[in-house]
Amino acid sequence: PSTMTTILGGLIILHAAYSYRHYIKLVYSIELENVGGIPPLDVIIEIILGSGLILFGLIMSLQLKPIRISSDIPAKPYQEVINNVDFMIFNHRGIEIAKRNQK
């Protein structure tokens, strides 16, 4: 189902491109001057719908894993989990500030 949704979104975007190209040819054949290159509202809606369907199809095709807390975390004490060496910062300005305060 997600592959079909993605393909359908791509086809809708291709149709929007074809419709816009047809619109441009029509404008040049009628020789309208003040169009400004803005696509018609139906083309904009098709592009938004097609992009949304592609995004939805791609998200639904992902094989996501649930987020779970590791089984060994509840067995560890709180201080051991929080006071991990990875979170300690040893490169700080405390020594320099102490030297300035002594002067």
Side-chain angles (χ1 to χ4, degrees), residues 46-81:
E46 283 183 2
I47 290 172
I48 292 171
L49 179 67
S51 299
L53 284 174
I54 289 174
L55 181 64
F56 180 74
L58 291 175
I59 289 173
M60 295 307 291
S61 68
L62 295 175
Q63 299 295 325
L64 300 176
K65 295 181 181 178
I67 299 174
R68 294 187 185 170
I69 296 176
S70 179
S71 61
D72 61 337
I73 287 181
K76 292 183 180 180
Y78 179 73
Q79 291 299 326
E80 187 179 336
V81 173

Side-chain angles (χ1 to χ4, degrees), residues 2-102:
S2 60
T3 306
M4 292 303 293
T5 306
T6 306
I7 291 172
L8 180 65
L11 290 174
I12 290 174
I13 288 181
L14 285 175
H15 182 264
Y18 179 77
S19 295
Y20 184 64
R21 183 67 184 147
H22 178 71
Y23 170 76
I24 291 297
K25 285 184 179 180
L26 184 66
V27 166
Y28 283 130
S29 68
I30 299 175
E31 297 178 356
L32 291 176
E33 302 254 342
N34 296 327
V35 176
I38 299 172
L41 184 61
D42 62 335
V43 172
I44 294 172
I45 291 172
E46 283 183 2
I47 290 172
I48 292 171
L49 179 67
S51 299
L53 284 174
I54 289 174
L55 181 64
F56 180 74
L58 291 175
I59 289 173
M60 295 307 291
S61 68
L62 295 175
Q63 299 295 325
L64 300 176
K65 295 181 181 178
I67 299 174
R68 294 187 185 170
I69 296 176
S70 179
S71 61
D72 61 337
I73 287 181
K76 292 183 180 180
Y78 179 73
Q79 291 299 326
E80 187 179 336
V81 173
I82 298 301
N83 294 330
N84 193 349
V85 179
D86 294 336
F87 295 111
M88 293 183 185
I89 300 172
F90 297 105
N91 190 12
H92 56 79
R93 296 177 283 181
I95 297 171
E96 295 297 323
I97 293 173
K99 287 179 185 176
R100 288 182 191 172
N101 289 339
Q102 289 178 354

